[in-house]
Amino acid sequence: MIVNESAENYLETILILSKSKPVVRSVDIAEELGFKKSSVSVAMKNLREKNHITVTKEGFIYLTDSGREIAEMIYERHELLSSWLIRLGVDPEVATEDACRIEHVISKESFEAIKKFI
C-alpha cells in the first residue's frame, strides 16, 4: 500500500483528532494543520477516491480500514521515534519535528529493528 507523505499526514491527523473529538470535519483538519480549507477539501477528495476515508453528507470524516491501518502505522512511528529522540537528549520540539520527517521515509525493516532495540 503506497501512499505519499501528504496523505499519510492527513490520515494521521484524522486519527489523532478522532481521539479527542466526537466527529472530525475538514475545518478541524485545516485548523490542526494550519492549511486552507480548500486545500484540505482537495486532499479529502483524493483520500475518499482511494477509499482511505468516508465522508458523510454532514461532512463527518471517518477512516476506512485501510486508512486506519496507514494512520496507526504512521502514528506509532511518530510516537516511538519522537520519544526515543527525546530520551537521547534531543529537544522535544526538535525531536517531534524530526520524527515527523523520519516516520515517512524509514523502512518497515529499520523501524522494526529500532523498536526491538529500544
Side-chain angles (χ1 to χ4, degrees), residues 4-88:
N4 67 31
E5 182 177 336
S6 174
E8 289 175 346
N9 278 332
Y10 278 111
L11 293 169
E12 181 184 25
T13 300
I14 294 166
L15 177 69
I16 292 167
L17 289 172
S18 71
K19 293 176 185 281
S20 63
K21 293 182 174 289
V23 293
V24 177
R25 302 165 300 144
S26 288
V27 67
D28 301 319
I29 298 166
E31 190 175 286
E32 180 71 19
L33 296 174
F35 295 164
K36 291 180 181 177
K37 191 173 179 303
S38 58
S39 299
V40 172
S41 293
V42 170
M44 294 306 103
K45 179 180 181 274
N46 290 334
L47 291 174
R48 197 173 54 247
E49 288 173 351
K50 292 178 178 157
N51 296 315
H52 294 314
I53 63 167
T54 58
V55 182
T56 67
K57 64 182 181 202
E58 297 86 6
F60 302 154
I61 299 166
Y62 297 97
L63 295 168
T64 63
D65 289 342
S66 67
R68 180 167 299 282
E69 183 181 332
I70 295 164
E72 288 176 349
M73 174 195 68
I74 295 300
Y75 185 67
E76 177 190 23
R77 289 177 176 196
H78 181 85
E79 290 292 295
L80 187 127
L81 292 168
S82 59
S83 66
W84 181 46
L85 290 169
I86 290 167
R87 285 196 315 261
L88 290 173

